[in-house]
Amino acid sequence: MPAYVPPLRDLSFVLHEALEIENSGIAGYDEMTPDFTGQVLEEAGKIARDVLAPLNIIGDEQGCTLENGVVRTPEGFKAAFDTLREGGWTGLDCDPEYGGQGMPYALAAAVGEMHSAANMAFMMYAGLTHGAYSAIHAHGSDAQKAKFLPKMVTCEWTGTMNLTEPHCGTDLGLLRTKAEPQEDGTYKISGQKIFISAGDHDMSENVIHLVLAKIPGGPEGVKGISLFIVPKFIVNDDGSLGERNALSVGKLEEKMGIHGNATCVMNYDGATGYLVGEAHKGLRAMFTMMNEARLGVGMQGLSQAAGAYQGALAYAKDRIQGRAVTGVEAPEKAADPLIVHPDVRRMLMDQKSFIEGARFFALWGSVMIDAAHHGDESADDMISLLTPVLKGFLTDKGYEMATQAQQVFGGHGYIEEWGMSQFVRDARIAMIYEGANGVQALDLVGRKLAAKGGKPVMAFFEMITSFCKEHREDEAMKPFIDPLKAASKDLQAAGMFFMQNGMKNPNAALAGSTDFMHLFGHVCLGYAWARMAKVALGKLAEGTGDKAFYETKLATGRYYMARQLPATGMHLARIQSGAEPVMALDAEAF
């Protein structure tokens, strides 16, 4: 399995040349100079390459084990977790009041891509903790924040989110876990939760579970859901750990992938819990965690594609099979390397053009999150609109690209020793958890398009239109502007179809929701490539010394615009076919 190579040059290009973060006017970004971020990313890349990547296959092979009620992580995981903690990486963008470093979320996202590409299952322990931290930070009381956050920032205590139950996943209104109020203001939590990632392990002193439950007598359905902090060990007033709470791991799930992460069935048997925020308002608090997690999961789709691509590229350059149809290219060898063959080039270009476009999209989204945190309402509206696209499109395509990378290996891609199978298996979960991608598409079409009277989506269209108008006279930009304009028109036509047909026949909109999410995702990557092309052309015109990098960037972007972006026409045709082809059969006819 090839060693992981941190994409430092490309991360710097996106952050500082394409997004120009230090000049964006966002609070704290003026300190994000290329020298500063370069040092941070270089150190993060070393950890990814030297510490996390070597453990990836170990975690996959060994998995986690449950011994006498205690979960044991794979060999080397605890030492690696200590390395993250001691370097302050777990609190990179956390509040300094609670021991964090206060860096922008965008920098943490760039670090997160590398760490997740190197070892996705391992990084879920810290990632889920960050999400739980964010929910408590946004909705917890001052006392709760003071008690729990400092050690969650350092990952001395880790965190989880507990939503799913055996009988309900997406439909949280059906959940049965109860929270009985006690005289001292605490609650007794009873019920069972399943699919709890990082639910227990041996790498931290305590696990802080965020649990959705219903207080008896509350409203029916989702309006009666509350959120509770339920620690594995009770935390005393002085911050020390007390007795074990009444919760346990029922079993570890046997999974297709992410074997190094402990996916637990959690049993709560009258465990002590502490209400977060208001009673019956738990979903609002949990969605603070869910929305952050969805962006993180979108990054996981990108990261697994990126890690798999590195392996496929190395293999395609090294493996000799057949001769180039245009003539022998390696006469000193018995055959030419795989990379001479057009169809292998196609697969590699699919991967490369997706990964680099998705990297811009994800980091652009993270910049919007930083802006929203500092009160920019338009950025908040835009990232809210784009969150289901980031999550759904990047994970669908990330899995597809990981499979493409596996295909480059032929039969060897199906053999475990080459490591490609793990990227495919690990990437698969990203399409399912934190809201399955079909649900992301429904959220996009059913809620986000109409949010604020359609103001955010209209702002998106105006952004694309203005960019195209600005560069319509630039002949060098034509291979980017013309396809982007056509794709944007497809997206607008799809939205118009929903407006004209969705009210009288909701199925007409919902049957096309996944196609719309993908159409939207392609437009976002088309915009990403057009933005990056503008920068690359400018650098070449200046006579840059990094000519090869910018020429490669332009060629990769042209590939996406010519070979991938036209998919918007296919998605539009599917959408405009309406609900009839999808709903034609009675259930008994399947």
Side-chain angles (χ1 to χ4, degrees), residues 378-420:
S378 63
D380 192 44
D381 289 346
M382 186 67 76
I383 192 59
S384 179
L385 169 69
L386 295 179
T387 291
V389 185
L390 279 158
K391 195 279 183 184
F393 182 71
L394 294 193
T395 58
D396 275 353
K397 299 299 286 187
Y399 174 74
E400 180 185 331
M401 293 304 112
T403 305
Q404 287 259 39
Q406 185 185 37
Q407 185 74 13
V408 171
F409 282 75
H412 290 290
Y414 202 68
I415 303 301
E416 291 295 340
E417 70 177 279
W418 290 90
M420 290 299 106

Side-chain angles (χ1 to χ4, degrees), residues 165 175-183 185-193 211-218 224-230 268-276 278-280:
E165 299 182 5
L175 69 79
R176 297 173 186 159
T177 299
K178 290 184 178 180
E180 297 279 356
Q182 304 299 299
E183 291 183 2
T186 64
Y187 291 78
K188 292 298 182 185
I189 311 298
S190 299
Q192 185 179 78
K193 299 288 186 178
V211 182
L212 289 182
K214 289 186 174 181
I215 300 171
I225 295 174
S226 301
L227 181 65
F228 300 88
I229 295 172
V230 188
Y268 296 90
D269 302 302
T272 298
Y274 310 92
L275 180 67
V276 178
E278 299 178 47
H280 317 308

Side-chain angles (χ1 to χ4, degrees), residues 81 85 90 125-126 128-130 132-133 136 144-160 201 203-209 229 231-236 238-242:
F81 205 63
R85 290 179 52 252
T90 60
Y125 294 98
L128 285 157
T129 303
H130 193 286
Y133 153 88
I136 296 172
Q144 288 171 340
K145 287 188 271 191
K147 177 177 279 191
F148 295 104
L149 293 189
K151 292 199 173 182
M152 294 178 73
V153 167
T154 63
C155 274
E156 291 171 83
W157 301 347
T158 56
T160 71
H201 55 88
M203 299 190 297
S204 67
E205 300 170 356
N206 203 2
V207 182
I208 310 303
H209 299 283
I229 295 172
K232 177 180 176 179
F233 291 98
I234 300 296
V235 180
N236 298 320
D238 63 0
S240 63
L241 297 184

Side-chain angles (χ1 to χ4, degrees), residues 540-561:
L540 288 171
E542 293 170 5
T544 176
D546 203 358
K547 184 179 178 182
F549 175 85
Y550 296 109
E551 289 181 339
T552 300
K553 184 66 67 177
L554 286 168
T556 306
R558 291 189 192 104
Y559 178 91
Y560 192 88
M561 307 308 274

